[in-house]
């Protein structure tokens, strides 16, 4: 296992279409995060899971966004009826539950362009 | 509201010299802090972290200093190398509240000149 894997790396879609991204975390990691990053900004938190439970969702995550982690392993992020403002890099990260703080490891990201 | 701030969007340093990247935070409940490095078209790479019970953590050329009273942390890179040229993000989290999400700053672009 070499790290967090995201698929696809790039996605170009027409406005109004639905898209789905996949994230495979580091195998023993039980926390999984989704972030979004736009040009000139830091990663913005979207949501996170501990095992299969979605524990927190950002207000940034509108009703058009849904994330799942059905068996506590891989996760999917779906965006319905995409808008041009959804164009961004979508980052997935995973970490291991431990006492105190732990670091999260990021995947390469999925670059979404809505045209 | 921007809870984690990196007020310097860019920094240029000569190879071999020290690079100092700064980060300020507003939420006194943050108790764990991290630095990430990011190259274009890649995800952030974890560099170093520090818990609020410490004021310094070192890992090779990288040292993070935490000043809780000033709500300020800094990353020192000594000596700086051209391969260190990247965007650096600081991040903070509140582990004691059970909220483990990381809040990121807007980043500082470091350029190390050969």
């Amino acid at each position: 296992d070499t790290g967090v894997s995201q698929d696809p790396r790039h996605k170009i879609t027409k406005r109004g279409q639905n898209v789905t991204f996949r994230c495979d975390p580091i195998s023993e990691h039980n926390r999984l995060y989704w972030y979004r990053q736009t040009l000139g900004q830091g990663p913005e938190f979207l949501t996170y899971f501990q095992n299969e439970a979605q524990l927190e969702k950002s207000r940034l995550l509108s009703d058009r966004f849904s994330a799942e982690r059905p068996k506590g392993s891989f996760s999917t992020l779906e965006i319905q009826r995409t808008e041009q403002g959804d164009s961004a890099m979508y980052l997935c990260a995973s970490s291991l539950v431990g006492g105190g703080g732990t670091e999260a490891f990021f995947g390469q990201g999925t670059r979404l362009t809505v045209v | 509201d921007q809870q984690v701030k990196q007020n310097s969007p860019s920094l240029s340093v000569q190879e071999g010299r020290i690079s100092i990247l700064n980060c300020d935070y507003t939420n006194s409940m943050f108790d764990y802090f991290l630095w990430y490095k990011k190259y274009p078209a890649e995800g952030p790479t974890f560099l170093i972290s520090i818990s609020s019970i410490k004021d310094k953590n070192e890992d090779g050329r990288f040292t993070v200093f935490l000043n809780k009273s000033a709500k300020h942390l800094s990353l020192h890179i000594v000596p700086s190398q051209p391969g260190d040229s990247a965007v650096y993000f600081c991040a903070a989290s509140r582990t004691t509240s059970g909220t483990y999400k990381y809040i990121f700053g807007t980043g500082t672009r470091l350029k190390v000149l050969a």
Side-chain angles (χ1 to χ4, degrees):
Chain A
D1 186 24
T2 56
V4 178
S5 176
Q6 291 189 246
D7 184 69
R9 291 289 308 276
H10 304 274
K11 178 73 177 178
I12 300 174
T13 190
K14 290 185 179 178
R15 191 173 50 187
Q17 297 294 305
N18 299 344
V19 294
T20 300
F21 309 141
R22 177 180 170 121
C23 172
D24 288 272
I26 294 171
S27 58
E28 65 269 23
H29 285 185
N30 44 18
R31 284 201 201 115
L32 186 148
Y33 306 80
W34 285 99
Y35 281 81
R36 180 173 68 186
Q37 186 174 19
T38 53
L39 199 62
Q41 300 296 316
E44 293 177 293
F45 171 78
L46 293 179
T47 188
Y48 93 94
F49 294 82
Q50 183 154 315
N51 299 313
E52 65 274 9
Q54 189 173 18
L55 296 187
E56 188 169 346
K57 289 171 60 171
S58 164
R59 283 170 288 179
L60 291 174
L61 215 64
S62 76
D63 291 345
R64 297 184 297 106
F65 288 70
S66 63
E68 294 183 344
R69 194 183 183 197
K71 296 183 181 178
S73 57
F74 74 92
S75 175
T76 58
L77 177 69
E78 181 184 16
I79 309 174
Q80 296 182 326
R81 304 181 305 281
T82 51
E83 302 172 356
Q84 287 188 320
D86 298 331
S87 296
M89 173 78 86
Y90 289 84
L91 296 162
C92 176
S94 69
S95 69
L96 191 60
V97 174
T102 63
E103 57 271 19
F105 295 90
F106 282 83
Q108 301 271 53
T110 294
R111 166 77 61 192
L112 173 66
T113 302
V114 181
V115 297
Chain B
D1 64 335
Q2 190 68 32
Q3 297 185 68
V4 178
K5 301 176 186 179
Q6 293 177 257
N7 292 319
S8 298
S10 64
L11 175 69
S12 290
V13 170
Q14 211 57 39
E15 181 180 6
R17 306 295 290 269
I18 184 171
S19 295
I20 300 176
L21 297 103
N22 294 304
C23 178
D24 297 291
Y25 60 96
T26 57
N27 190 336
S28 57
M29 299 298 290
F30 287 143
D31 58 4
Y32 193 69
F33 304 88
L34 310 93
W35 283 94
Y36 285 83
K37 177 169 76 172
K38 187 178 184 302
Y39 293 117
E42 293 186 10
T45 302
F46 170 74
L47 274 176
I48 192 168
S49 61
I50 188 166
S51 164
S52 60
I53 61 173
K54 294 185 174 182
D55 53 18
K56 178 182 173 182
N57 189 26
E58 253 180 290
D59 185 1
R61 296 186 298 115
F62 301 92
T63 303
V64 56
F65 294 92
L66 176 62
N67 182 334
K68 288 189 293 293
S69 61
K71 297 193 184 68
H72 177 84
L73 64 154
S74 60
L75 175 69
H76 292 209
I77 307 173
V78 183
S80 301
Q81 300 173 353
D84 296 329
S85 297
V87 179
Y88 289 78
F89 294 97
C90 67
S93 66
R94 293 173 51 182
T95 62
T96 53
S97 68
T99 299
Y100 295 95
K101 67 184 181 186
Y102 304 89
I103 306 297
F104 284 79
T106 52
T108 296
R109 182 178 301 278
L110 173 66
K111 188 170 185 179
V112 180
L113 307 168

